[in-house]
Amino acid sequence: MNSPEPCALIGILDDGWSGLGDTARARLLEADLVIGAQRTLDLIAACRPSRVEQRTMDGQLGRVPEWIRTAREAGRSVAVLATGDPLCHGIGSFLVGKLGPDAIDILPAASTLQLAFARLKKSWPAAKVVSVHSRDAGEWLTGATPDHGLYPLVRAAAEHTLIGAFTSPENSPDRIARALVTAGHGDDFRLSVAARLALPDEALFIDLPLTDAAAMHFPDPNIVVLERLAPPQHRATFGFEDADFVQRAPEKGLITKQEARALSLAKLRLRPDSLVWDIGAGSGSVGLEAARLARNGHVWAIEKNPGDAANARENAQRLRASNYTLIEGKAPASLDTWPDPDAVFIGGSGGELAELVRLILARLAPGGRLVMNFVTLENLATATAALNEAGAAWDVVQLQAARSQPILDMHRLAAQNPVWIVSATKESP
């Protein structure tokens, strides 16, 4: 028995039928079933034979693979329309993953992103490509989580000098500009918009300041290009001085000191994509350095003292830590709304230490790490007893550092308080 003809996945731009190549036109004319978003189906409506069945996939993307499979098994030829290049943040990878590579022939058009860069006359091989063509999550707010539709773009702005973004009517150029201003990038980028590409009323808006773009309205559909005015500020990934962080006054110094912070971060064994909890965040020093190490991950922090929480928020703004979410409250409140972590740091427990240890060990991902800092014998004893009760393997390092201080024309060493750093690993099942 002959294998059914592969489905033709055809890229199309807003110039419709006239912009398609001969092969793409032939596959559409031969098709028994054409699937696409309604706006792409409308682009070929005048040229589609009347015998052809069309089916809109708006709101039904998950059903498309089965539609294709059923039609092919019945001996019907199928074509699917997608915007631009189906493999550039399109449905190509989804369909190939569901049906297999032999079931799909891909006939791409130029990506709308590629076309936008061409119109703007900007080279794009070095561009970071992101898509915010997703559900409406509202305006960007400081502390937004990875669920927010603008999250990939705001994170890209922290590391890249050239960004191309697929937008949506909700996640529009003006909203993108406002998000970047809120995230502290207001003076870092110029924003360009290529709107209604391949249509008679195509429009370009070139190198706008973000504050100007934030107040404008742009025609749909559109592509956004962001270009940094100067290279990103290169700061240490971690190892900041204590004085780099805003701390509680007049009790200056209530912070996880640099030496203990560095060792604690090492004990957390963070990956670039780690999900991290910081409990008892204080000024945020550990969590914010963890956010820099886990640059493709996210840090959720909680702090019960309003003054310390305000300091942590200010420190996050200074470091432009857009992958950091701070909750003001007392753990374990809110922890049930956070995703299971890969690593957890406890700098303060608010008297709930044993309960927190049990909860965290239950929630940690297999192989995950729990690291705790203590300056009192009582908390050390509580923590190790809770770890023993849970059957967790643990170790303790006592860290006692001394820093040089000037005395006359010489220097002496001033001892810091000793810190116990307790580390535990959740064993894989």
Side-chain angles (χ1 to χ4, degrees):
M1 180 176 177
N2 293 330
S3 298
E5 180 185 30
C7 167
L9 177 55
I10 298 171
I12 190 170
L13 295 172
D14 281 348
D15 53 0
W17 188 265
S18 65
L20 293 173
D22 291 343
T23 303
R25 291 181 184 180
R27 294 294 292 270
L28 283 168
L29 292 172
E30 296 165 359
D32 300 307
L33 170 64
V34 177
I35 302 168
Q38 190 60 55
R39 66 178 300 272
T40 57
L41 293 171
D42 290 344
L43 293 172
I44 64 163
C47 302
R48 186 181 64 247
S50 59
R51 65 170 179 79
V52 176
E53 177 191 358
Q54 74 168 32
R55 199 173 297 174
T56 179
M57 62 183 177
D58 295 329
Q60 303 189 82
L61 180 60
R63 301 182 63 188
V64 173
E66 187 56 36
W67 290 348
I68 296 171
R69 187 181 294 112
T70 300
R72 293 179 69 231
E73 288 174 352
R76 305 176 75 199
S77 59
V78 186
V80 176
L81 291 173
T83 300
D85 182 351
L87 292 173
C88 186
H89 289 268
I91 64 171
S93 297
F94 169 72
L95 292 181
V96 170
K98 292 291 185 180
L99 299 170
D102 294 338
I104 304 289
D105 287 338
I106 299 176
L107 288 73
S111 167
T112 50
L113 190 77
Q114 182 183 6
L115 197 58
F117 274 96
R119 296 289 196 268
L120 296 167
K121 298 179 175 59
K122 297 178 185 288
S123 178
W124 74 294
K128 171 66 175 178
V129 178
V130 299
S131 176
V132 295
H133 193 82
S134 58
R135 64 180 180 83
D136 182 7
E139 295 286 324
W140 178 266
L141 299 174
T142 299
T145 68
D147 294 331
H148 197 285
L150 294 177
Y151 189 88
L153 190 144
V154 175
R155 289 303 303 144
E159 297 192 31
H160 297 277
T161 60
L162 183 64
I163 301 166
F166 294 96
T167 65
S168 69
E170 294 80 21
N171 292 328
S172 52
D174 54 306
R175 178 179 280 183
I176 288 169
R178 290 191 293 273
L180 293 178
V181 171
T182 299
H185 296 292
D187 296 325
D188 294 345
F189 288 92
R190 288 289 183 264
L191 181 147
S192 298
V193 179
R196 298 187 62 76
L197 288 163
L199 289 171
D201 58 347
E202 181 175 293
L204 301 178
F205 305 83
I206 302 175
D207 294 338
L208 302 172
L210 292 181
T211 50
D212 291 355
M216 296 173 64
H217 176 74
F218 299 90
D220 284 320
N222 54 62
I223 295 289
V224 161
V225 173
L226 292 157
E227 197 163 11
R228 188 179 280 275
L229 295 174
Q233 184 179 17
H234 292 294
R235 301 187 65 178
T237 303
F238 88 118
F240 291 97
E241 299 293 338
D242 297 345
D244 291 336
F245 296 96
V246 179
Q247 303 164 46
R248 193 195 310 180
E251 302 168 88
K252 200 89 165 180
L254 288 179
I255 186 174
T256 301
K257 299 292 194 297
Q258 184 187 52
E259 295 83 358
R261 190 164 68 244
L263 182 54
S264 297
L265 289 164
K267 292 287 189 179
L268 285 169
R269 300 179 189 169
L270 300 176
R271 304 185 311 269
D273 63 348
S274 288
L275 304 181
V276 184
W277 292 2
D278 180 13
I279 297 175
S283 62
S285 61
V286 173
L288 288 168
E289 292 204 50
R292 296 176 71 83
L293 292 167
R295 63 188 183 278
N296 300 324
H298 196 87
V299 175
W300 284 262
I302 188 166
E303 171 53 49
K304 65 183 178 63
N305 182 284
D308 286 338
N311 288 339
R313 283 192 288 268
E314 182 175 346
N315 288 323
Q317 190 71 19
R318 287 183 171 194
L319 292 174
R320 299 178 182 175
S322 50
N323 60 335
Y324 180 85
T325 300
L326 177 71
I327 302 295
E328 191 171 320
K330 181 179 176 182
S334 299
L335 301 189
D336 59 342
T337 67
W338 295 357
D340 290 348
D342 300 301
V344 178
F345 176 76
I346 297 180
S349 61
E352 309 292 340
L353 183 56
E355 179 185 354
L356 283 171
V357 169
R358 288 190 290 270
L359 183 153
I360 289 164
L361 290 175
R363 294 283 305 278
L364 265 177
R369 296 281 289 174
L370 168 61
V371 175
M372 299 172 277
N373 281 190
F374 304 114
V375 295
T376 68
L377 289 166
E378 288 78 8
N379 278 342
L380 174 65
T382 299
T384 53
L387 290 169
N388 284 332
E389 182 181 342
W394 54 270
D395 64 77
V396 178
V397 173
Q398 178 181 289
L399 179 67
Q400 187 162 11
R403 294 180 178 178
S404 63
Q405 286 188 350
I407 177 170
L408 300 176
D409 59 345
M410 296 175 286
H411 290 80
R412 70 179 183 89
L413 287 175
Q416 298 182 45
N417 288 330
V419 179
W420 287 285
I421 299 174
V422 181
S423 306
T425 302
K426 181 171 182 176
E427 300 299 332
S428 301

